[in-house]
Amino acid sequence: MNRRGLLRAFAGGVAAATSTRHVLAQEKAAKAIRGMPAPKIKDVSVIATQPAGARLSVVKILTDQDGLYGYGCSTFTQRAELVNLAVEKYLKPLLVGKPVNRIEDNWQTCYNSSYWRNGPVLNNAISGVDEALWDIKGKQAGMPVYDLWGGKCREAVQMFANAGGAEPKDVVEGVRQAMARGYKHVRVSAGVRGGGRGGAGGGDPEGGVGGGGRATSARGLHEGAVFERAPALRRMLDVFAACRKDLGFEVELMHDMHERYEPRQAIQFVKDCEPFKLYFLEDPLSPEDNDWFRELRAQSSTPIAMGELFNNPHEWTPLITGR
């Protein structure tokens, strides 16, 4: 055999070996995929719990594979029993027997099943199911769910503390104590939380720390504090001024407006807060007044946090688009 023939034979052998390895690799991959069938949903239940008085709902999804299950949060503290019923009576029959890896399909099935949709009860129930299915997916993959979504984009996040009081000086002291504990961000409030969104019994649904003093000087037709918008806004401006005077600008300040104000009042207040350089003002407008956000942003650069009462992407997408 001459040199050219020898090279051709060698090349042919290498190609054959490469082709064989490629086929074997494909067969191995296919076998791995066929190794176990996709787990199916065996049961859906709700764990109702109440730590520190907050009514929490946790969805648990069991699969037909022993030891493989997931948890998800479906909490709607003010209507907990309705959410629990929605999960166990309406969503469970739709889901039992479905593959757990078809997360989007299961979500769409739940979302469209009632014809009327985007209400807070059903969407919270679906949220718990969705999170539980992703929890299962993460366990199957052997990695945190955030890695399935592209991995971490930061090493840590800032946390904030709450500081409240009857008078501005009380709030200042609360902020000072939070700073001593290492907090660089503090959400402040003044007066009581009365007249708010907490349902029967009032209070803050987020469990924030409120003040123990009067809300306004007005007398009501019932026992307890009366919430008046204008005095409350003036008091908060006094709080911000006191904090900046005594603590400077080394601490980031926030405030939750709890969607309590008329749009014109809210916009004026957001503008009045500009000298205090807030980290954000939370929920200045109610979801019913979403169209006013364009007017608000045009008149002030104060950062805004919003979305706590939103039920679906159709409410917050326009706000992201409108910056």
Side-chain angles (χ1 to χ4, degrees), residues 30-85:
K31 184 178 181 181
I33 295 174
R34 294 195 306 267
M36 294 185 67
K40 293 185 178 179
I41 297 173
K42 182 179 180 181
D43 189 31
V44 181
S45 61
V46 175
I47 301 170
T49 182
Q50 194 169 349
R55 302 185 67 184
L56 309 182
S57 300
V58 180
V59 173
K60 182 177 183 179
I61 293 182
L62 290 175
T63 74
D64 58 1
Q65 293 186 12
D66 290 342
L68 183 60
Y69 56 88
Y71 293 113
C73 177
S74 60
T75 294
F76 182 5
T77 54
Q78 286 74 35
R79 300 292 184 268
E81 293 180 8
L82 294 178
V83 174
N84 301 346
L85 187 66

Short mmCIF file of all heavy atoms in Angstrom, two decimals, residues 30-85:
data_model
loop_
_atom_site.label_atom_id
_atom_site.label_comp_id
_atom_site.label_asym_id
_atom_site.label_seq_id
_atom_site.Cartn_x
_atom_site.Cartn_y
_atom_site.Cartn_z
N ALA A 30 -30.74 9.48 24.74
CA ALA A 30 -32.13 9.09 24.60
C ALA A 30 -32.55 8.15 25.73
O ALA A 30 -33.66 8.23 26.26
CB ALA A 30 -32.34 8.41 23.25
N LYS A 31 -31.65 7.26 26.11
CA LYS A 31 -31.95 6.33 27.20
C LYS A 31 -32.13 7.07 28.52
O LYS A 31 -32.99 6.73 29.33
CB LYS A 31 -30.82 5.30 27.33
CG LYS A 31 -31.08 4.23 28.38
CD LYS A 31 -29.96 3.21 28.41
CE LYS A 31 -30.23 2.13 29.45
NZ LYS A 31 -29.14 1.15 29.50
N ALA A 32 -31.32 8.11 28.74
CA ALA A 32 -31.43 8.89 29.97
C ALA A 32 -32.78 9.60 30.03
O ALA A 32 -33.42 9.68 31.08
CB ALA A 32 -30.29 9.91 30.05
N ILE A 33 -33.21 10.11 28.88
CA ILE A 33 -34.50 10.80 28.85
C ILE A 33 -35.64 9.83 29.10
O ILE A 33 -36.63 10.15 29.75
CB ILE A 33 -34.68 11.51 27.50
CG1 ILE A 33 -33.63 12.63 27.35
CG2 ILE A 33 -36.07 12.11 27.37
CD1 ILE A 33 -33.63 13.27 25.99
N ARG A 34 -35.48 8.61 28.58
CA ARG A 34 -36.54 7.61 28.73
C ARG A 34 -36.46 6.90 30.09
O ARG A 34 -37.30 6.07 30.41
CB ARG A 34 -36.42 6.54 27.64
CG ARG A 34 -36.67 7.05 26.23
CD ARG A 34 -36.87 5.87 25.29
NE ARG A 34 -35.77 4.91 25.36
CZ ARG A 34 -34.71 4.94 24.56
NH1 ARG A 34 -34.61 5.88 23.63
NH2 ARG A 34 -33.75 4.04 24.69
N GLY A 35 -35.45 7.26 30.88
CA GLY A 35 -35.19 6.51 32.10
C GLY A 35 -36.37 6.44 33.04
O GLY A 35 -36.70 5.39 33.56
N MET A 36 -37.05 7.60 33.28
CA MET A 36 -38.20 7.61 34.17
C MET A 36 -39.29 8.44 33.52
O MET A 36 -39.01 9.46 32.89
CB MET A 36 -37.83 8.22 35.53
CG MET A 36 -36.85 7.42 36.35
SD MET A 36 -36.59 8.15 37.99
CE MET A 36 -38.20 7.89 38.72
N PRO A 37 -40.52 8.01 33.62
CA PRO A 37 -41.61 8.82 33.07
C PRO A 37 -41.75 10.11 33.86
O PRO A 37 -41.35 10.18 35.02
CB PRO A 37 -42.83 7.92 33.25
CG PRO A 37 -42.48 7.02 34.40
CD PRO A 37 -41.00 6.79 34.27
N ALA A 38 -42.31 11.13 33.23
CA ALA A 38 -42.53 12.39 33.93
C ALA A 38 -43.47 12.16 35.11
O ALA A 38 -44.50 11.49 34.97
CB ALA A 38 -43.14 13.42 32.98
N PRO A 39 -43.12 12.65 36.28
CA PRO A 39 -44.01 12.48 37.44
C PRO A 39 -45.37 13.11 37.16
O PRO A 39 -45.48 14.09 36.41
CB PRO A 39 -43.27 13.22 38.56
CG PRO A 39 -41.86 13.35 38.09
CD PRO A 39 -41.92 13.42 36.61
N LYS A 40 -46.37 12.56 37.77
CA LYS A 40 -47.72 13.11 37.64
C LYS A 40 -48.23 13.58 38.99
O LYS A 40 -47.79 13.11 40.04
CB LYS A 40 -48.66 12.06 37.05
CG LYS A 40 -48.34 11.71 35.60
CD LYS A 40 -49.36 10.74 35.03
CE LYS A 40 -49.03 10.44 33.56
NZ LYS A 40 -50.00 9.49 32.96
N ILE A 41 -49.14 14.53 38.94
CA ILE A 41 -49.70 15.08 40.18
C ILE A 41 -50.64 14.04 40.80
O ILE A 41 -51.59 13.58 40.16
CB ILE A 41 -50.46 16.39 39.89
CG1 ILE A 41 -49.49 17.44 39.35
CG2 ILE A 41 -51.15 16.89 41.15
CD1 ILE A 41 -50.16 18.72 38.89
N LYS A 42 -50.34 13.70 42.04
CA LYS A 42 -51.14 12.70 42.75
C LYS A 42 -52.16 13.35 43.67
O LYS A 42 -53.27 12.85 43.84
CB LYS A 42 -50.20 11.80 43.56
CG LYS A 42 -50.89 10.68 44.32
CD LYS A 42 -49.86 9.83 45.06
CE LYS A 42 -50.53 8.70 45.84
NZ LYS A 42 -49.51 7.88 46.56
N ASP A 43 -51.78 14.47 44.28
CA ASP A 43 -52.70 15.13 45.21
C ASP A 43 -52.32 16.60 45.33
O ASP A 43 -51.15 16.97 45.18
CB ASP A 43 -52.64 14.47 46.59
CG ASP A 43 -53.72 14.98 47.52
OD1 ASP A 43 -54.81 15.34 47.03
OD2 ASP A 43 -53.50 15.04 48.74
N VAL A 44 -53.32 17.44 45.59
CA VAL A 44 -53.13 18.87 45.82
C VAL A 44 -53.87 19.23 47.10
O VAL A 44 -55.07 18.96 47.23
CB VAL A 44 -53.67 19.73 44.65
CG1 VAL A 44 -53.42 21.21 44.93
CG2 VAL A 44 -53.02 19.32 43.34
N SER A 45 -53.18 19.82 48.05
CA SER A 45 -53.81 20.17 49.32
C SER A 45 -53.32 21.54 49.78
O SER A 45 -52.37 22.09 49.24
CB SER A 45 -53.50 19.12 50.39
OG SER A 45 -52.10 19.02 50.61
N VAL A 46 -53.98 22.07 50.80
CA VAL A 46 -53.62 23.37 51.37
C VAL A 46 -53.27 23.19 52.84
O VAL A 46 -54.00 22.53 53.58
CB VAL A 46 -54.76 24.39 51.24
CG1 VAL A 46 -54.38 25.70 51.94
CG2 VAL A 46 -55.07 24.67 49.78
N ILE A 47 -52.15 23.77 53.22
CA ILE A 47 -51.77 23.82 54.64
C ILE A 47 -52.09 25.23 55.13
O ILE A 47 -51.47 26.21 54.71
CB ILE A 47 -50.28 23.52 54.82
CG1 ILE A 47 -49.95 22.13 54.26
CG2 ILE A 47 -49.89 23.61 56.29
CD1 ILE A 47 -48.46 21.84 54.19
N ALA A 48 -53.09 25.34 56.00
CA ALA A 48 -53.48 26.63 56.55
C ALA A 48 -52.75 26.84 57.88
O ALA A 48 -52.83 25.99 58.77
CB ALA A 48 -54.99 26.69 56.76
N THR A 49 -52.07 27.96 57.99
CA THR A 49 -51.30 28.23 59.21
C THR A 49 -51.44 29.71 59.55
O THR A 49 -51.87 30.51 58.72
CB THR A 49 -49.82 27.85 59.02
OG1 THR A 49 -49.10 28.08 60.23
CG2 THR A 49 -49.19 28.66 57.90
N GLN A 50 -51.09 30.07 60.77
CA GLN A 50 -51.31 31.44 61.23
C GLN A 50 -50.21 31.90 62.17
O GLN A 50 -50.44 32.17 63.35
CB GLN A 50 -52.69 31.55 61.92
CG GLN A 50 -53.15 32.98 62.11
CD GLN A 50 -54.60 33.04 62.53
OE1 GLN A 50 -55.31 32.04 62.47
NE2 GLN A 50 -55.06 34.19 62.97
N PRO A 51 -48.97 32.03 61.67
CA PRO A 51 -47.89 32.52 62.54
C PRO A 51 -48.05 34.01 62.84
O PRO A 51 -48.31 34.80 61.93
CB PRO A 51 -46.63 32.25 61.70
CG PRO A 51 -47.11 32.26 60.29
CD PRO A 51 -48.51 31.72 60.32
N ALA A 52 -47.91 34.35 64.09
CA ALA A 52 -48.01 35.76 64.53
C ALA A 52 -49.32 36.40 64.08
O ALA A 52 -49.38 37.60 63.83
CB ALA A 52 -46.82 36.56 64.00
N GLY A 53 -50.37 35.59 63.96
CA GLY A 53 -51.68 36.13 63.62
C GLY A 53 -51.93 36.34 62.14
O GLY A 53 -53.03 36.74 61.75
N ALA A 54 -50.95 36.07 61.29
CA ALA A 54 -51.11 36.24 59.84
C ALA A 54 -51.58 34.93 59.23
O ALA A 54 -50.92 33.90 59.35
CB ALA A 54 -49.79 36.68 59.21
N ARG A 55 -52.72 34.96 58.55
CA ARG A 55 -53.29 33.74 57.98
C ARG A 55 -52.62 33.43 56.64
O ARG A 55 -52.85 34.10 55.64
CB ARG A 55 -54.80 33.90 57.80
CG ARG A 55 -55.53 34.21 59.09
CD ARG A 55 -57.02 34.24 58.89
NE ARG A 55 -57.54 32.91 58.57
CZ ARG A 55 -58.82 32.68 58.27
NH1 ARG A 55 -59.68 33.68 58.22
NH2 ARG A 55 -59.22 31.45 58.00
N LEU A 56 -51.80 32.40 56.65
CA LEU A 56 -51.04 32.02 55.46
C LEU A 56 -51.58 30.72 54.88
O LEU A 56 -52.02 29.83 55.61
CB LEU A 56 -49.56 31.85 55.81
CG LEU A 56 -48.89 33.00 56.56
CD1 LEU A 56 -47.41 32.69 56.77
CD2 LEU A 56 -49.07 34.31 55.82
N SER A 57 -51.56 30.62 53.56
CA SER A 57 -52.00 29.42 52.86
C SER A 57 -50.84 28.87 52.04
O SER A 57 -50.28 29.59 51.21
CB SER A 57 -53.19 29.72 51.95
OG SER A 57 -54.28 30.23 52.68
N VAL A 58 -50.50 27.61 52.26
CA VAL A 58 -49.40 26.96 51.56
C VAL A 58 -49.96 25.78 50.76
O VAL A 58 -50.59 24.89 51.33
CB VAL A 58 -48.32 26.46 52.53
CG1 VAL A 58 -47.18 25.78 51.77
CG2 VAL A 58 -47.79 27.62 53.37
N VAL A 59 -49.74 25.78 49.45
CA VAL A 59 -50.18 24.68 48.60
C VAL A 59 -49.11 23.59 48.60
O VAL A 59 -47.91 23.89 48.45
CB VAL A 59 -50.43 25.16 47.15
CG1 VAL A 59 -50.71 23.96 46.23
CG2 VAL A 59 -51.59 26.13 47.11
N LYS A 60 -49.53 22.34 48.78
CA LYS A 60 -48.61 21.21 48.70
C LYS A 60 -49.08 20.29 47.57
O LYS A 60 -50.23 19.87 47.55
CB LYS A 60 -48.56 20.43 50.02
CG LYS A 60 -47.56 19.26 49.98
CD LYS A 60 -47.47 18.55 51.32
CE LYS A 60 -46.42 17.44 51.28
NZ LYS A 60 -46.30 16.75 52.59
N ILE A 61 -48.17 20.01 46.65
CA ILE A 61 -48.47 19.10 45.54
C ILE A 61 -47.64 17.83 45.71
O ILE A 61 -46.40 17.90 45.78
CB ILE A 61 -48.17 19.76 44.18
CG1 ILE A 61 -49.15 20.91 43.94
CG2 ILE A 61 -48.27 18.73 43.05
CD1 ILE A 61 -48.98 21.60 42.60
N LEU A 62 -48.33 16.71 45.81
CA LEU A 62 -47.68 15.41 45.87
C LEU A 62 -47.64 14.80 44.47
O LEU A 62 -48.57 14.98 43.68
CB LEU A 62 -48.45 14.46 46.80
CG LEU A 62 -48.41 14.75 48.29
CD1 LEU A 62 -49.33 13.77 49.02
CD2 LEU A 62 -47.00 14.63 48.84
N THR A 63 -46.57 14.08 44.15
CA THR A 63 -46.46 13.39 42.87
C THR A 63 -46.58 11.88 43.09
O THR A 63 -46.60 11.41 44.23
CB THR A 63 -45.13 13.71 42.18
OG1 THR A 63 -44.07 13.01 42.86
CG2 THR A 63 -44.84 15.20 42.19
N ASP A 64 -46.62 11.14 41.98
CA ASP A 64 -46.70 9.68 42.09
C ASP A 64 -45.34 9.04 42.30
O ASP A 64 -45.22 7.82 42.27
CB ASP A 64 -47.38 9.10 40.84
CG ASP A 64 -46.66 9.46 39.55
OD1 ASP A 64 -45.62 10.15 39.61
OD2 ASP A 64 -47.14 9.05 38.47
N GLN A 65 -44.32 9.87 42.50
CA GLN A 65 -42.99 9.35 42.83
C GLN A 65 -42.72 9.64 44.31
O GLN A 65 -42.78 10.78 44.74
CB GLN A 65 -41.92 9.99 41.95
CG GLN A 65 -42.04 9.61 40.48
CD GLN A 65 -40.90 10.14 39.64
OE1 GLN A 65 -39.89 10.61 40.18
NE2 GLN A 65 -41.04 10.07 38.33
N ASP A 66 -42.43 8.60 45.05
CA ASP A 66 -42.24 8.74 46.49
C ASP A 66 -41.19 9.80 46.83
O ASP A 66 -40.10 9.80 46.27
CB ASP A 66 -41.81 7.39 47.10
CG ASP A 66 -42.93 6.37 47.10
OD1 ASP A 66 -44.10 6.79 46.96
OD2 ASP A 66 -42.64 5.16 47.22
N GLY A 67 -41.55 10.68 47.75
CA GLY A 67 -40.60 11.68 48.23
C GLY A 67 -40.49 12.91 47.36
O GLY A 67 -39.74 13.83 47.70
N LEU A 68 -41.22 12.96 46.25
CA LEU A 68 -41.14 14.13 45.36
C LEU A 68 -42.41 14.96 45.51
O LEU A 68 -43.51 14.52 45.15
CB LEU A 68 -40.96 13.70 43.91
CG LEU A 68 -40.79 14.83 42.88
CD1 LEU A 68 -39.56 15.68 43.20
CD2 LEU A 68 -40.70 14.26 41.46
N TYR A 69 -42.26 16.13 46.07
CA TYR A 69 -43.41 17.02 46.29
C TYR A 69 -42.91 18.46 46.26
O TYR A 69 -41.70 18.73 46.26
CB TYR A 69 -44.08 16.73 47.63
CG TYR A 69 -43.14 16.80 48.82
CD1 TYR A 69 -42.92 18.01 49.48
CD2 TYR A 69 -42.47 15.66 49.27
CE1 TYR A 69 -42.05 18.08 50.56
CE2 TYR A 69 -41.61 15.72 50.35
CZ TYR A 69 -41.40 16.93 50.98
OH TYR A 69 -40.55 17.01 52.05
N GLY A 70 -43.85 19.40 46.24
CA GLY A 70 -43.47 20.81 46.20
C GLY A 70 -44.42 21.67 47.00
O GLY A 70 -45.58 21.31 47.22
N TYR A 71 -43.90 22.83 47.44
CA TYR A 71 -44.70 23.80 48.19
C TYR A 71 -44.78 25.12 47.43
O TYR A 71 -43.84 25.51 46.73
CB TYR A 71 -44.07 24.08 49.56
CG TYR A 71 -44.08 22.92 50.52
CD1 TYR A 71 -42.90 22.30 50.92
CD2 TYR A 71 -45.28 22.45 51.06
CE1 TYR A 71 -42.90 21.25 51.82
CE2 TYR A 71 -45.29 21.39 51.96
CZ TYR A 71 -44.10 20.80 52.33
OH TYR A 71 -44.11 19.76 53.21
N GLY A 72 -45.91 25.81 47.59
CA GLY A 72 -46.07 27.13 47.00
C GLY A 72 -46.96 28.00 47.86
O GLY A 72 -47.82 27.49 48.60
N CYS A 73 -46.77 29.30 47.79
CA CYS A 73 -47.53 30.26 48.61
C CYS A 73 -48.75 30.75 47.84
O CYS A 73 -48.63 31.28 46.74
CB CYS A 73 -46.64 31.43 49.01
SG CYS A 73 -47.52 32.70 49.95
N SER A 74 -49.93 30.61 48.45
CA SER A 74 -51.17 31.13 47.85
C SER A 74 -51.85 32.11 48.80
O SER A 74 -53.07 32.28 48.75
CB SER A 74 -52.11 29.97 47.51
OG SER A 74 -52.46 29.25 48.67
N THR A 75 -51.08 32.75 49.63
CA THR A 75 -51.63 33.56 50.72
C THR A 75 -52.43 34.76 50.24
O THR A 75 -51.99 35.53 49.39
CB THR A 75 -50.49 34.04 51.63
OG1 THR A 75 -49.91 32.91 52.28
CG2 THR A 75 -51.00 35.01 52.69
N PHE A 76 -53.63 34.89 50.79
CA PHE A 76 -54.48 36.07 50.66
C PHE A 76 -55.08 36.25 52.05
O PHE A 76 -56.14 35.74 52.36
CB PHE A 76 -55.56 35.83 49.60
CG PHE A 76 -56.48 36.99 49.34
CD1 PHE A 76 -56.31 38.23 49.95
CD2 PHE A 76 -57.54 36.84 48.47
CE1 PHE A 76 -57.16 39.29 49.70
CE2 PHE A 76 -58.41 37.90 48.21
CZ PHE A 76 -58.22 39.12 48.82
N THR A 77 -54.34 36.97 52.91
CA THR A 77 -54.63 36.95 54.34
C THR A 77 -56.07 37.35 54.68
O THR A 77 -56.65 36.83 55.62
CB THR A 77 -53.66 37.88 55.11
OG1 THR A 77 -53.70 39.18 54.52
CG2 THR A 77 -52.24 37.33 55.04
N GLN A 78 -56.63 38.29 53.92
CA GLN A 78 -57.97 38.78 54.25
C GLN A 78 -59.08 37.85 53.75
O GLN A 78 -60.24 38.00 54.15
CB GLN A 78 -58.18 40.18 53.67
CG GLN A 78 -57.45 41.28 54.40
CD GLN A 78 -55.96 41.28 54.12
OE1 GLN A 78 -55.52 40.96 53.03
NE2 GLN A 78 -55.17 41.63 55.12
N ARG A 79 -58.76 36.90 52.86
CA ARG A 79 -59.78 35.99 52.32
C ARG A 79 -59.20 34.58 52.25
O ARG A 79 -59.35 33.88 51.25
CB ARG A 79 -60.25 36.45 50.94
CG ARG A 79 -60.88 37.84 50.90
CD ARG A 79 -62.22 37.87 51.64
NE ARG A 79 -62.85 39.18 51.53
CZ ARG A 79 -62.70 40.17 52.38
NH1 ARG A 79 -61.88 40.01 53.44
NH2 ARG A 79 -63.32 41.32 52.22
N ALA A 80 -58.55 34.17 53.32
CA ALA A 80 -57.80 32.91 53.31
C ALA A 80 -58.68 31.71 53.00
O ALA A 80 -58.32 30.84 52.20
CB ALA A 80 -57.10 32.72 54.65
N GLU A 81 -59.85 31.62 53.61
CA GLU A 81 -60.68 30.45 53.43
C GLU A 81 -61.18 30.32 51.99
O GLU A 81 -61.37 29.20 51.49
CB GLU A 81 -61.85 30.48 54.41
CG GLU A 81 -61.40 30.33 55.86
CD GLU A 81 -62.57 30.36 56.83
OE1 GLU A 81 -63.72 30.34 56.36
OE2 GLU A 81 -62.32 30.39 58.05
N LEU A 82 -61.39 31.43 51.32
CA LEU A 82 -61.82 31.38 49.93
C LEU A 82 -60.73 30.82 49.03
O LEU A 82 -60.99 30.03 48.13
CB LEU A 82 -62.24 32.78 49.45
CG LEU A 82 -63.47 33.39 50.11
CD1 LEU A 82 -63.72 34.78 49.55
CD2 LEU A 82 -64.69 32.50 49.88
N VAL A 83 -59.49 31.24 49.28
CA VAL A 83 -58.36 30.73 48.50
C VAL A 83 -58.20 29.23 48.74
O VAL A 83 -58.00 28.45 47.80
CB VAL A 83 -57.07 31.49 48.84
CG1 VAL A 83 -55.88 30.85 48.14
CG2 VAL A 83 -57.18 32.94 48.43
N ASN A 84 -58.25 28.82 50.00
CA ASN A 84 -58.09 27.41 50.33
C ASN A 84 -59.15 26.57 49.62
O ASN A 84 -58.86 25.48 49.09
CB ASN A 84 -58.18 27.20 51.84
CG ASN A 84 -57.11 27.98 52.59
OD1 ASN A 84 -56.16 28.47 51.99
ND2 ASN A 84 -57.27 28.10 53.90
N LEU A 85 -60.38 27.07 49.61
CA LEU A 85 -61.47 26.36 48.94
C LEU A 85 -61.24 26.30 47.43
O LEU A 85 -61.49 25.27 46.79
CB LEU A 85 -62.80 27.06 49.24
CG LEU A 85 -64.07 26.37 48.75
CD1 LEU A 85 -64.27 25.05 49.49
CD2 LEU A 85 -65.27 27.28 48.95
#
